[in-house]
Amino acid sequence: MTTEEWAEFEEHFDKRKVELGGCARPYGTGCQHEHACIRCPMLNINPKMLSRLAEIEDDLLGRRERAEREAWLSEIDGIDLTLSFLRQKRSETERLARLPPAGPTMITLEPPPPRAS
């Protein structure tokens, strides 16, 4: 591997770091969601960012109230969709944060049983 190839590889992983956590998209792929991270299934929320997620939710709720006052129906639909994804991600992050850390796993393979004749 050349120095240039290695730098490109490292750059990919540096670019996967986002405000709320990390993007799990495969190496060599770009962001196909135009950085709409809350809606993206590849975003893994860092549990330390749950308070930021709450701030984003509060902002979205404020924007939704304005959209209702202005009768911006399409905007309301978009905000509701984003709120749905946000709440799913928060729930999943809270669930994962309660799990004990995984330690090393030893995998052993048993020989196959003898075949019956």
Side-chain angles (χ1 to χ4, degrees), residues 22-112:
C23 178
R25 72 182 185 277
Y27 172 71
T29 62
C31 178
Q32 62 187 359
H33 300 101
E34 297 299 324
H35 302 283
C37 296
I38 294 292
R39 293 184 180 187
C40 179
M42 302 306 286
L43 176 65
N44 296 317
I45 303 284
N46 180 333
K48 294 177 183 176
M49 297 306 291
L50 285 170
S51 61
R52 177 65 179 124
L53 210 57
E55 292 173 13
I56 292 170
E57 182 178 26
D58 289 344
D59 179 64
L60 285 166
L61 291 170
R63 289 176 48 202
R64 190 183 192 292
E65 288 174 9
R66 168 117 192 254
E68 285 178 341
R69 284 192 309 273
E70 302 290 341
W72 297 334
L73 301 182
S74 181
E75 188 74 11
I76 292 169
D77 290 343
I79 292 170
D80 285 346
L81 181 63
T82 301
L83 283 166
S84 172
F85 279 101
L86 181 146
R87 290 168 179 155
Q88 288 171 8
K89 288 191 181 299
R90 179 180 50 221
S91 176
E92 179 69 5
T93 302
E94 290 170 342
R95 184 186 71 77
L96 291 173
R98 289 190 299 268
L99 295 176
T105 302
M106 176 66 85
I107 299 174
T108 59
L109 299 174
E110 297 291 326

